[in-house]
Amino acid sequence: MENSILNIAWEAGGSLPVNVKQAYRCDQGSGSSKIKIIYDSLVNNANPWALELDFNKDVTESDKLALENALINIQQQPSSLVNFKMPSGAVLKSDIPFTNLSKS
């Protein structure tokens, strides 16, 4: 199975890989420092899945748009690995960077 991986900058150093295969958009998360990545549902008529990412500072609209564009572009390159940094310099929190996996 082909995966599409975004390596997102991490506060603890380096980056954390996030599989974004079938991800198609970003939404504001449950707080100002959080973004949800929304994935296509694998089952017809089911709600899509969402992965919430928590950053070390507030996420800007420019950050959200840049991440969403990266999601769209990586879908055009199956089995790719792309390094990604937020335009504002926000990085994934070092303690709990993935806060929620749920149905959207």
Side-chain angles (χ1 to χ4, degrees):
M1 185 161 140
E2 296 175 345
N3 291 315
S4 298
I5 307 294
L6 273 183
N7 265 337
I8 301 176
W10 187 27
E11 187 175 44
S15 59
L16 289 178
V18 177
N19 187 352
V20 293
K21 182 181 171 106
Q22 295 186 319
Y24 67 96
R25 82 169 197 261
C26 295
D27 287 342
Q28 179 62 47
S30 61
S32 60
S33 67
K34 298 179 180 182
I35 287 183
K36 284 184 184 178
I37 295 177
I38 311 297
Y39 295 81
D40 274 337
S41 173
L42 300 177
V43 180
N44 289 338
N45 298 322
N47 290 335
W49 285 91
L51 174 65
E52 191 168 63
L53 305 176
D54 195 3
F55 291 87
N56 66 339
K57 63 183 185 177
D58 288 352
V59 174
T60 67
E61 184 64 21
S62 177
D63 290 333
K64 186 176 97 48
L65 291 173
L67 183 56
E68 195 164 273
N69 284 335
L71 294 178
I72 292 166
N73 291 336
I74 202 168
Q75 301 308 325
Q76 307 305 314
Q77 306 165 16
S79 297
S80 58
L81 175 69
V82 174
N83 293 320
F84 179 79
K85 290 185 179 181
M86 297 290 237
S88 71
V91 295
L92 289 171
K93 283 180 119 175
S94 60
D95 53 355
I96 305 173
F98 309 110
T99 60
N100 195 11
L101 177 63
S102 62
K103 291 211 172 191
S104 176

